Amino acid sequence: MKKIIALALALVMVLGLAACSVEKTEAPAPTAAPAATEAPKAEAPAATEAAAAPVEISLWTFPVGKWGEEATVNGWIEAFQAEYPHITVKVEYLDYQAGDDKLNTAIEGGQAPDLIFEGPERLIAQYAARGLLLDLTDLKETAGGKGLYPSIVNTCSIDGKMYAFPISQMAHCMVINRDIFEKADALKYLNEETGTWNSVDDYFNAIQAVYDSGHKDVMTIYCGGQGGDQGTRHMISCPAGNTPWSNPEHTQYTFATQANADILARFYAQDGVSFDPAIVAGDEINLFVQGVLAMGNCWNATLYNNNKDAINFNVLPMAFPTDEAAPALAGGFYCLGVFDNKDAARAEAAKTFIEWMTSDDAIYTEAVLAAGQWPTRDLGVDLYAGDEVMSQYGKFAPWFGDYYQITKGWAEFRTEMWNALQRIAKTDGSSAAILAELEAAQTAANAAASAQ
Amino acid sequence: MSNKRVVLNTKNHKLMIHETATSYLFMLPFMIFFVGFVLYPMFMCVYTSFFDATMGREDIFVGFANYVQLSKDPVFWKGLWNTLIIVLVSVPVTCAFSLWVASAISKMPVAATSAFRCIFYLPVVTGSVAVTVVWKWMFNNYYGIFNYLGNNLGLFDERINWLGDERFALGCIIMILLTTSVGQPIVLYVSALDNVDKSLVEAAEVDGATQMQAFWKIKWPQMMPTTLYILVITTINSFQCFALIQLLTSGGPNNSTMTIMYYIYYNAFKLYKYGYGNAMGVILAIIIAILSAVQFKLGQEK
């Protein structure tokens, strides 16, 4: 009997975890095209308020600036509920460590939130592509939707239908410790005014100068996981000549190029640069903030605001280096999406919330400022006028490159990429060896893209 | 006479049915929990392993395709190999170290024994995330205490990227696992040593047995059930090493710390390959079941 109990215990402990991921039988029918479900159109506020029955919706938000703070979000909720007393909004605050798992588990358990605040790489590439989000195209006709920048709307759309409403945007950039660069006489290799490098060669000259000045840990190519990997991607593609990561249709990956391999070989051989499989972007940011690293590849305005109290040196946000006319930077967009929970009343309430938040310029401005970013439509005013620091970050906005993060097989691509960097660290550093690793990663990523 | 027996039998039968029904009623809440949260997930795990299951679409029956794919997946084999290394190192070391510590502290005054039990049990009751974060600091390539001590004591000149170097990463994981695994076995061994029949030990000593002989011939056989339990539990825990991997290395560098549990998680929750992940879960469960059976068999023979 004891044997049976012990064996059952062993089986239970193992199978328990694996089975947590068991598909629900309520999964939507196979969808050749993404989310065929049409969401009910958001009614005019007055009509909704007058006739509607009480409805409760949930909003899950990742910690994008103050969108992760109760004080800020509760203020909006109170204001919204004052205007729409029949709608109750319950907020759940996610973090980037466990947020994905929590969200995916909820989706699988049929408990997806109604509203989700995140970027298109998750909302579009993961959820909308699987038919889990509602079509929000009709919101383009609302007061908040009419002026949306078309390029940003495109990143939130599949086959012309908009599945996520863009709220805020910013450019991901890199950053340097200005004090260390000044001490190393390396500021001559860059243009502080424009936040650009004189050339790719000067970028490497600057790294060498800092290294020679005695600061040995200039930069690290973090590859312990996928978090913040836009930094390492653009660290490669910009100096390689703004090489594209996918084809224009976003159906296949195209990063296994000689140019990318050559630039990685250059990093490999560069003093002061190390491939570090033990850290991820969050660790790199901490090391930069602590003054250990002289440069950081994962940076943006929000990160600056989150860390400014801990920084005791002058930081200089920089575009990634390129010899092209302008660098192709990664855009960071944050959107509200609505999960298709097969409940028309909740869907309508969720859309009402989006319309409420985006149609009134004052409320919308608050939402954008809370994210520490910039609007996704022309508000006719500079939100950061007089703010020297934020203006520094604002100048990168014209340099958004293609938003390839919506390419199919995105999760697999990210895995392949950081694993490829780990493998590259173990090569002899030759372009040929590096290209072989990039090709292996690209083949695997494209196989996943084709299968999705 | 005959009628009376029938009446008595009927009464006994009714009483038996009543008692049985009552027993099952008492068991019902647990049985519901057991069926709903244990048996059903187990069944679904096996069932789903035969499907191409992912998020947002109906499952597609693929037969044994997931298992065939597993057999060709180098990362799975790497994960299995790493898992076996973790088990083969951590289980004997945990058992031996726990027994050694328990033997040492069980002879101390009660207060000292309790104090040591608390100290060794602390990592068990401390949250695994907190423990892991502290270890991550200590192993840090840039400012970790191990590099600091190593450099200042002249043990090595260059910094070692403990968690970023394939040569050291798995060893670091095993070391952390050991610190969090020994607490419970020590407590159990101390308790088992206390329960050893002292009259037998004294009799053996009177007959001229050495301390070593008294331990192996008298104490050790009496502690065998505890040892068996510790072996099984430690083996299962080692097979299921997950949090450390997730928080420290994500299976890297170059899959050198990839374990089956982390690979299951990665496939199921990051890549949404639910069927594939469940197939791995089934394989792991079978391996653990076989090993546990072998351990019980060997334990009983002893």
Side-chain angles (χ1 to χ4, degrees), chain A residues 334-388:
Chain A
Y334 290 88
C335 321
L336 280 167
V338 180
F339 276 101
D340 182 5
N341 285 322
K342 313 293 181 199
D343 185 323
R346 282 163 59 190
E348 184 186 308
K351 293 179 72 176
T352 303
F353 182 84
I354 295 176
E355 192 176 345
W356 172 84
M357 172 159 274
T358 56
S359 293
D360 183 297
D361 280 358
I363 299 170
Y364 176 61
T365 299
E366 250 186 68
V368 173
L369 288 173
Q373 298 177 9
W374 284 263
T376 50
R377 67 172 191 260
D378 188 1
L379 288 174
V381 290
D382 179 0
L383 295 187
Y384 299 104
D387 185 334
E388 199 178 319

Short mmCIF file of all heavy atoms in Angstrom, two decimals, chain A residues 334-388:
data_model
loop_
_atom_site.label_atom_id
_atom_site.label_comp_id
_atom_site.label_asym_id
_atom_site.label_seq_id
_atom_site.Cartn_x
_atom_site.Cartn_y
_atom_site.Cartn_z
N TYR A 334 2.20 51.32 -26.42
CA TYR A 334 1.37 50.68 -25.39
C TYR A 334 -0.09 50.94 -25.71
O TYR A 334 -0.47 52.05 -26.06
CB TYR A 334 1.77 51.19 -24.00
CG TYR A 334 3.13 50.65 -23.64
CD1 TYR A 334 4.28 51.34 -24.00
CD2 TYR A 334 3.26 49.42 -23.03
CE1 TYR A 334 5.53 50.80 -23.73
CE2 TYR A 334 4.50 48.87 -22.76
CZ TYR A 334 5.64 49.57 -23.11
OH TYR A 334 6.87 49.04 -22.86
N CYS A 335 -0.85 49.89 -25.62
CA CYS A 335 -2.22 49.93 -26.13
C CYS A 335 -3.19 49.31 -25.14
O CYS A 335 -2.80 48.55 -24.25
CB CYS A 335 -2.33 49.10 -27.42
SG CYS A 335 -0.95 49.25 -28.51
N LEU A 336 -4.46 49.60 -25.35
CA LEU A 336 -5.51 48.90 -24.62
C LEU A 336 -6.16 47.91 -25.58
O LEU A 336 -6.59 48.29 -26.68
CB LEU A 336 -6.55 49.88 -24.09
CG LEU A 336 -6.17 50.62 -22.80
CD1 LEU A 336 -7.11 51.78 -22.53
CD2 LEU A 336 -6.15 49.67 -21.60
N GLY A 337 -6.20 46.67 -25.19
CA GLY A 337 -6.88 45.65 -25.97
C GLY A 337 -8.06 45.12 -25.18
O GLY A 337 -8.11 45.24 -23.95
N VAL A 338 -9.01 44.53 -25.90
CA VAL A 338 -10.20 43.97 -25.24
C VAL A 338 -10.29 42.48 -25.57
O VAL A 338 -10.38 42.11 -26.76
CB VAL A 338 -11.49 44.69 -25.70
CG1 VAL A 338 -12.71 44.07 -25.00
CG2 VAL A 338 -11.41 46.18 -25.41
N PHE A 339 -10.22 41.65 -24.56
CA PHE A 339 -10.34 40.21 -24.79
C PHE A 339 -11.78 39.84 -25.13
O PHE A 339 -12.72 40.41 -24.58
CB PHE A 339 -9.88 39.42 -23.56
CG PHE A 339 -8.39 39.22 -23.52
CD1 PHE A 339 -7.60 40.01 -22.71
CD2 PHE A 339 -7.80 38.26 -24.31
CE1 PHE A 339 -6.22 39.84 -22.70
CE2 PHE A 339 -6.43 38.08 -24.30
CZ PHE A 339 -5.64 38.87 -23.49
N ASP A 340 -11.90 38.88 -26.03
CA ASP A 340 -13.22 38.40 -26.44
C ASP A 340 -13.72 37.38 -25.42
O ASP A 340 -13.44 36.19 -25.53
CB ASP A 340 -13.12 37.77 -27.83
CG ASP A 340 -14.47 37.30 -28.33
OD1 ASP A 340 -15.48 37.56 -27.63
OD2 ASP A 340 -14.53 36.69 -29.41
N ASN A 341 -14.42 37.87 -24.42
CA ASN A 341 -14.92 36.99 -23.36
C ASN A 341 -16.35 36.52 -23.62
O ASN A 341 -17.01 36.02 -22.70
CB ASN A 341 -14.83 37.69 -22.00
CG ASN A 341 -13.40 37.72 -21.49
OD1 ASN A 341 -12.65 36.75 -21.66
ND2 ASN A 341 -12.97 38.83 -20.90
N LYS A 342 -16.80 36.68 -24.84
CA LYS A 342 -18.15 36.22 -25.24
C LYS A 342 -19.24 36.82 -24.36
O LYS A 342 -20.19 36.16 -23.99
CB LYS A 342 -18.25 34.69 -25.18
CG LYS A 342 -17.10 33.93 -25.83
CD LYS A 342 -17.08 34.12 -27.31
CE LYS A 342 -15.93 33.32 -27.93
NZ LYS A 342 -15.58 33.82 -29.27
N ASP A 343 -19.05 38.07 -23.98
CA ASP A 343 -20.04 38.75 -23.16
C ASP A 343 -20.20 40.16 -23.73
O ASP A 343 -19.33 41.02 -23.55
CB ASP A 343 -19.56 38.80 -21.70
CG ASP A 343 -20.62 39.38 -20.76
OD1 ASP A 343 -21.32 40.33 -21.17
OD2 ASP A 343 -20.73 38.90 -19.62
N ALA A 344 -21.30 40.37 -24.42
CA ALA A 344 -21.50 41.63 -25.14
C ALA A 344 -21.50 42.83 -24.19
O ALA A 344 -20.95 43.88 -24.51
CB ALA A 344 -22.81 41.57 -25.92
N ALA A 345 -22.09 42.66 -23.02
CA ALA A 345 -22.18 43.79 -22.08
C ALA A 345 -20.80 44.20 -21.59
O ALA A 345 -20.47 45.39 -21.53
CB ALA A 345 -23.07 43.41 -20.90
N ARG A 346 -19.97 43.20 -21.27
CA ARG A 346 -18.62 43.51 -20.79
C ARG A 346 -17.78 44.10 -21.93
O ARG A 346 -16.97 45.01 -21.71
CB ARG A 346 -17.96 42.25 -20.22
CG ARG A 346 -18.46 41.93 -18.81
CD ARG A 346 -18.13 40.52 -18.41
NE ARG A 346 -16.71 40.24 -18.42
CZ ARG A 346 -16.20 39.02 -18.29
NH1 ARG A 346 -17.02 37.98 -18.13
NH2 ARG A 346 -14.90 38.82 -18.30
N ALA A 347 -17.95 43.57 -23.12
CA ALA A 347 -17.20 44.10 -24.27
C ALA A 347 -17.56 45.55 -24.50
O ALA A 347 -16.69 46.41 -24.73
CB ALA A 347 -17.50 43.26 -25.51
N GLU A 348 -18.85 45.84 -24.42
CA GLU A 348 -19.30 47.22 -24.63
C GLU A 348 -18.74 48.13 -23.55
O GLU A 348 -18.29 49.25 -23.82
CB GLU A 348 -20.83 47.25 -24.61
CG GLU A 348 -21.40 48.61 -24.91
CD GLU A 348 -22.91 48.62 -24.72
OE1 GLU A 348 -23.58 47.75 -25.29
OE2 GLU A 348 -23.39 49.49 -23.99
N ALA A 349 -18.77 47.65 -22.31
CA ALA A 349 -18.25 48.45 -21.19
C ALA A 349 -16.75 48.70 -21.36
O ALA A 349 -16.26 49.81 -21.10
CB ALA A 349 -18.52 47.74 -19.87
N ALA A 350 -16.02 47.68 -21.80
CA ALA A 350 -14.58 47.84 -22.01
C ALA A 350 -14.30 48.88 -23.08
O ALA A 350 -13.40 49.72 -22.95
CB ALA A 350 -13.96 46.49 -22.37
N LYS A 351 -15.07 48.83 -24.15
CA LYS A 351 -14.88 49.80 -25.22
C LYS A 351 -15.28 51.21 -24.78
O LYS A 351 -14.67 52.20 -25.19
CB LYS A 351 -15.67 49.37 -26.46
CG LYS A 351 -15.11 48.09 -27.08
CD LYS A 351 -15.89 47.65 -28.27
CE LYS A 351 -15.66 48.55 -29.46
NZ LYS A 351 -16.36 48.06 -30.66
N THR A 352 -16.28 51.24 -23.92
CA THR A 352 -16.69 52.54 -23.38
C THR A 352 -15.54 53.15 -22.57
O THR A 352 -15.27 54.35 -22.64
CB THR A 352 -17.92 52.37 -22.47
OG1 THR A 352 -18.95 51.77 -23.23
CG2 THR A 352 -18.39 53.71 -21.93
N PHE A 353 -14.84 52.29 -21.84
CA PHE A 353 -13.70 52.77 -21.05
C PHE A 353 -12.62 53.35 -21.96
O PHE A 353 -12.06 54.41 -21.71
CB PHE A 353 -13.13 51.63 -20.19
CG PHE A 353 -11.98 52.06 -19.32
CD1 PHE A 353 -12.21 52.65 -18.08
CD2 PHE A 353 -10.67 51.92 -19.75
CE1 PHE A 353 -11.15 53.07 -17.28
CE2 PHE A 353 -9.61 52.33 -18.95
CZ PHE A 353 -9.86 52.91 -17.72
N ILE A 354 -12.33 52.63 -23.04
CA ILE A 354 -11.29 53.11 -23.97
C ILE A 354 -11.71 54.46 -24.57
O ILE A 354 -10.92 55.40 -24.64
CB ILE A 354 -11.04 52.08 -25.09
CG1 ILE A 354 -10.46 50.79 -24.52
CG2 ILE A 354 -10.09 52.66 -26.14
CD1 ILE A 354 -10.26 49.69 -25.54
N GLU A 355 -12.98 54.52 -24.96
CA GLU A 355 -13.46 55.76 -25.57
C GLU A 355 -13.39 56.91 -24.56
O GLU A 355 -12.99 58.02 -24.90
CB GLU A 355 -14.90 55.57 -26.07
CG GLU A 355 -15.35 56.72 -26.96
CD GLU A 355 -16.72 56.51 -27.53
OE1 GLU A 355 -17.23 55.37 -27.49
OE2 GLU A 355 -17.30 57.50 -28.02
N TRP A 356 -13.77 56.60 -23.32
CA TRP A 356 -13.73 57.63 -22.27
C TRP A 356 -12.30 58.12 -22.06
O TRP A 356 -12.04 59.32 -21.95
CB TRP A 356 -14.29 57.02 -20.97
CG TRP A 356 -14.12 57.92 -19.78
CD1 TRP A 356 -14.93 58.94 -19.39
CD2 TRP A 356 -13.04 57.87 -18.83
NE1 TRP A 356 -14.43 59.53 -18.25
CE2 TRP A 356 -13.28 58.90 -17.89
CE3 TRP A 356 -11.92 57.07 -18.68
CZ2 TRP A 356 -12.43 59.14 -16.81
CZ3 TRP A 356 -11.06 57.31 -17.61
CH2 TRP A 356 -11.33 58.33 -16.69
N MET A 357 -11.38 57.19 -22.04
CA MET A 357 -9.99 57.54 -21.74
C MET A 357 -9.32 58.31 -22.87
O MET A 357 -8.44 59.15 -22.64
CB MET A 357 -9.18 56.28 -21.43
CG MET A 357 -7.69 56.52 -21.29
SD MET A 357 -6.87 55.21 -20.39
CE MET A 357 -7.11 55.75 -18.71
N THR A 358 -9.73 58.06 -24.10
CA THR A 358 -8.99 58.63 -25.23
C THR A 358 -9.68 59.81 -25.90
O THR A 358 -9.03 60.56 -26.62
CB THR A 358 -8.74 57.55 -26.30
OG1 THR A 358 -9.99 56.98 -26.69
CG2 THR A 358 -7.84 56.45 -25.74
N SER A 359 -10.97 59.98 -25.68
CA SER A 359 -11.67 61.03 -26.42
C SER A 359 -11.49 62.41 -25.81
O SER A 359 -11.45 63.41 -26.53
CB SER A 359 -13.17 60.70 -26.51
OG SER A 359 -13.35 59.56 -27.30
N ASP A 360 -11.38 62.46 -24.53
CA ASP A 360 -11.18 63.75 -23.87
C ASP A 360 -9.68 64.02 -23.78
O ASP A 360 -8.93 63.24 -23.17
CB ASP A 360 -11.81 63.69 -22.47
CG ASP A 360 -11.70 65.02 -21.75
OD1 ASP A 360 -10.56 65.46 -21.49
OD2 ASP A 360 -12.75 65.62 -21.45
N ASP A 361 -9.23 65.13 -24.37
CA ASP A 361 -7.79 65.42 -24.43
C ASP A 361 -7.15 65.47 -23.05
O ASP A 361 -6.01 65.02 -22.87
CB ASP A 361 -7.56 66.76 -25.14
CG ASP A 361 -7.62 66.58 -26.66
OD1 ASP A 361 -7.81 65.42 -27.11
OD2 ASP A 361 -7.48 67.59 -27.38
N ALA A 362 -7.88 66.01 -22.07
CA ALA A 362 -7.30 66.16 -20.73
C ALA A 362 -7.07 64.79 -20.09
O ALA A 362 -5.99 64.53 -19.53
CB ALA A 362 -8.24 66.99 -19.86
N ILE A 363 -8.08 63.92 -20.19
CA ILE A 363 -7.93 62.58 -19.60
C ILE A 363 -6.86 61.80 -20.36
O ILE A 363 -6.02 61.12 -19.77
CB ILE A 363 -9.28 61.82 -19.63
CG1 ILE A 363 -10.33 62.59 -18.83
CG2 ILE A 363 -9.13 60.41 -19.09
CD1 ILE A 363 -11.74 62.06 -18.99
N TYR A 364 -6.90 61.91 -21.67
CA TYR A 364 -5.93 61.18 -22.49
C TYR A 364 -4.51 61.64 -22.18
O TYR A 364 -3.58 60.83 -22.05
CB TYR A 364 -6.26 61.40 -23.98
CG TYR A 364 -5.25 60.77 -24.90
CD1 TYR A 364 -5.04 59.39 -24.89
CD2 TYR A 364 -4.48 61.55 -25.77
CE1 TYR A 364 -4.09 58.80 -25.71
CE2 TYR A 364 -3.54 60.97 -26.60
CZ TYR A 364 -3.34 59.60 -26.56
OH TYR A 364 -2.41 59.03 -27.37
N THR A 365 -4.35 62.95 -22.03
CA THR A 365 -3.02 63.49 -21.70
C THR A 365 -2.51 62.90 -20.38
O THR A 365 -1.34 62.54 -20.26
CB THR A 365 -3.08 65.03 -21.59
OG1 THR A 365 -3.50 65.54 -22.86
CG2 THR A 365 -1.73 65.62 -21.22
N GLU A 366 -3.42 62.79 -19.42
CA GLU A 366 -3.05 62.19 -18.13
C GLU A 366 -2.55 60.76 -18.32
O GLU A 366 -1.56 60.34 -17.71
CB GLU A 366 -4.28 62.14 -17.22
CG GLU A 366 -4.23 63.10 -16.05
CD GLU A 366 -5.42 62.89 -15.13
OE1 GLU A 366 -5.48 61.83 -14.49
OE2 GLU A 366 -6.30 63.77 -15.10
N ALA A 367 -3.27 60.01 -19.16
CA ALA A 367 -2.90 58.61 -19.39
C ALA A 367 -1.52 58.51 -20.04
O ALA A 367 -0.71 57.64 -19.70
CB ALA A 367 -3.95 57.93 -20.26
N VAL A 368 -1.26 59.41 -20.97
CA VAL A 368 0.03 59.40 -21.67
C VAL A 368 1.16 59.81 -20.73
O VAL A 368 2.22 59.17 -20.68
CB VAL A 368 -0.02 60.35 -22.90
CG1 VAL A 368 1.36 60.47 -23.54
CG2 VAL A 368 -1.04 59.86 -23.91
N LEU A 369 0.91 60.85 -19.96
CA LEU A 369 1.93 61.32 -19.02
C LEU A 369 2.22 60.27 -17.95
O LEU A 369 3.36 60.12 -17.51
CB LEU A 369 1.48 62.64 -18.36
CG LEU A 369 1.49 63.87 -19.27
CD1 LEU A 369 0.87 65.06 -18.55
CD2 LEU A 369 2.90 64.21 -19.73
N ALA A 370 1.18 59.55 -17.55
CA ALA A 370 1.38 58.50 -16.54
C ALA A 370 2.32 57.43 -17.07
O ALA A 370 3.12 56.85 -16.31
CB ALA A 370 0.04 57.88 -16.16
N ALA A 371 2.25 57.17 -18.36
CA ALA A 371 3.15 56.18 -18.96
C ALA A 371 4.55 56.75 -19.12
O ALA A 371 5.50 56.00 -19.38
CB ALA A 371 2.60 55.72 -20.31
N GLY A 372 4.67 58.08 -18.99
CA GLY A 372 5.98 58.72 -19.19
C GLY A 372 6.37 58.68 -20.65
O GLY A 372 7.56 58.58 -20.98
N GLN A 373 5.36 58.78 -21.52
CA GLN A 373 5.64 58.64 -22.95
C GLN A 373 4.98 59.77 -23.75
O GLN A 373 4.67 60.82 -23.20
CB GLN A 373 5.16 57.26 -23.42
CG GLN A 373 5.91 56.15 -22.69
CD GLN A 373 5.41 54.77 -23.04
OE1 GLN A 373 4.63 54.60 -23.96
NE2 GLN A 373 5.87 53.78 -22.29
N TRP A 374 4.76 59.50 -25.02
CA TRP A 374 4.23 60.52 -25.91
C TRP A 374 2.90 60.04 -26.52
O TRP A 374 2.66 58.82 -26.57
CB TRP A 374 5.24 60.82 -27.03
CG TRP A 374 6.36 61.65 -26.52
CD1 TRP A 374 6.48 63.01 -26.63
CD2 TRP A 374 7.50 61.21 -25.79
NE1 TRP A 374 7.63 63.43 -25.99
CE2 TRP A 374 8.27 62.36 -25.46
CE3 TRP A 374 7.95 59.97 -25.33
CZ2 TRP A 374 9.46 62.29 -24.75
CZ3 TRP A 374 9.13 59.91 -24.61
CH2 TRP A 374 9.87 61.06 -24.33
N PRO A 375 2.05 60.98 -26.96
CA PRO A 375 0.73 60.58 -27.47
C PRO A 375 0.82 59.87 -28.81
O PRO A 375 1.81 59.99 -29.53
CB PRO A 375 -0.02 61.91 -27.60
CG PRO A 375 1.03 62.95 -27.67
CD PRO A 375 2.23 62.45 -26.93
N THR A 376 -0.23 59.16 -29.13
CA THR A 376 -0.28 58.44 -30.41
C THR A 376 -1.11 59.21 -31.44
O THR A 376 -1.45 58.68 -32.48
CB THR A 376 -0.89 57.05 -30.21
OG1 THR A 376 -2.12 57.18 -29.49
CG2 THR A 376 0.05 56.14 -29.44
N ARG A 377 -1.45 60.41 -31.08
CA ARG A 377 -2.09 61.32 -32.05
C ARG A 377 -1.60 62.73 -31.74
O ARG A 377 -1.05 62.97 -30.66
CB ARG A 377 -3.61 61.22 -31.96
CG ARG A 377 -4.21 61.75 -30.68
CD ARG A 377 -5.73 61.80 -30.77
NE ARG A 377 -6.33 62.54 -29.68
CZ ARG A 377 -6.88 61.98 -28.61
NH1 ARG A 377 -6.89 60.66 -28.48
NH2 ARG A 377 -7.45 62.72 -27.67
N ASP A 378 -1.78 63.60 -32.71
CA ASP A 378 -1.28 64.95 -32.54
C ASP A 378 -2.22 65.74 -31.62
O ASP A 378 -3.36 66.02 -31.98
CB ASP A 378 -1.18 65.64 -33.91
CG ASP A 378 -0.48 66.99 -33.79
OD1 ASP A 378 -0.07 67.34 -32.66
OD2 ASP A 378 -0.35 67.66 -34.82
N LEU A 379 -1.73 66.08 -30.43
CA LEU A 379 -2.55 66.84 -29.49
C LEU A 379 -2.37 68.35 -29.68
O LEU A 379 -3.02 69.15 -29.01
CB LEU A 379 -2.20 66.46 -28.06
CG LEU A 379 -2.67 65.07 -27.59
CD1 LEU A 379 -2.12 64.77 -26.21
CD2 LEU A 379 -4.19 64.99 -27.58
N GLY A 380 -1.46 68.71 -30.55
CA GLY A 380 -1.25 70.13 -30.82
C GLY A 380 -0.42 70.83 -29.76
O GLY A 380 -0.24 72.04 -29.82
N VAL A 381 0.03 70.10 -28.78
CA VAL A 381 0.88 70.71 -27.74
C VAL A 381 2.05 69.77 -27.44
O VAL A 381 1.94 68.56 -27.64
CB VAL A 381 0.11 70.94 -26.41
CG1 VAL A 381 -0.91 72.03 -26.56
CG2 VAL A 381 -0.54 69.66 -25.93
N ASP A 382 3.14 70.37 -26.99
CA ASP A 382 4.28 69.56 -26.55
C ASP A 382 4.07 69.23 -25.07
O ASP A 382 4.13 70.12 -24.22
CB ASP A 382 5.57 70.34 -26.76
CG ASP A 382 6.79 69.55 -26.30
OD1 ASP A 382 6.61 68.40 -25.83
OD2 ASP A 382 7.91 70.07 -26.42
N LEU A 383 3.79 67.98 -24.78
CA LEU A 383 3.49 67.60 -23.39
C LEU A 383 4.66 67.84 -22.47
O LEU A 383 4.49 67.95 -21.26
CB LEU A 383 3.09 66.12 -23.32
CG LEU A 383 1.82 65.69 -24.03
CD1 LEU A 383 1.50 64.24 -23.70
CD2 LEU A 383 0.65 66.57 -23.65
N TYR A 384 5.85 67.88 -23.02
CA TYR A 384 7.03 68.01 -22.17
C TYR A 384 7.76 69.33 -22.41
O TYR A 384 8.97 69.41 -22.25
CB TYR A 384 7.96 66.82 -22.39
CG TYR A 384 7.30 65.50 -22.04
CD1 TYR A 384 6.84 64.65 -23.03
CD2 TYR A 384 7.11 65.13 -20.72
CE1 TYR A 384 6.22 63.45 -22.71
CE2 TYR A 384 6.49 63.94 -20.39
CZ TYR A 384 6.05 63.10 -21.39
OH TYR A 384 5.43 61.93 -21.07
N ALA A 385 7.01 70.35 -22.83
CA ALA A 385 7.62 71.66 -23.06
C ALA A 385 8.27 72.14 -21.76
O ALA A 385 7.63 72.11 -20.71
CB ALA A 385 6.57 72.65 -23.53
N GLY A 386 9.51 72.53 -21.85
CA GLY A 386 10.21 73.02 -20.66
C GLY A 386 10.88 71.90 -19.86
O GLY A 386 11.66 72.18 -18.96
N ASP A 387 10.56 70.68 -20.20
CA ASP A 387 11.19 69.55 -19.49
C ASP A 387 12.38 69.09 -20.33
O ASP A 387 12.23 68.36 -21.32
CB ASP A 387 10.18 68.41 -19.31
CG ASP A 387 10.75 67.27 -18.47
OD1 ASP A 387 11.99 67.11 -18.46
OD2 ASP A 387 9.96 66.54 -17.85
N GLU A 388 13.55 69.56 -19.93
CA GLU A 388 14.75 69.32 -20.73
C GLU A 388 15.05 67.83 -20.90
O GLU A 388 15.42 67.37 -21.98
CB GLU A 388 15.94 70.01 -20.05
CG GLU A 388 17.12 70.24 -20.97
CD GLU A 388 18.24 70.98 -20.25
OE1 GLU A 388 17.95 71.92 -19.49
OE2 GLU A 388 19.39 70.59 -20.46
#
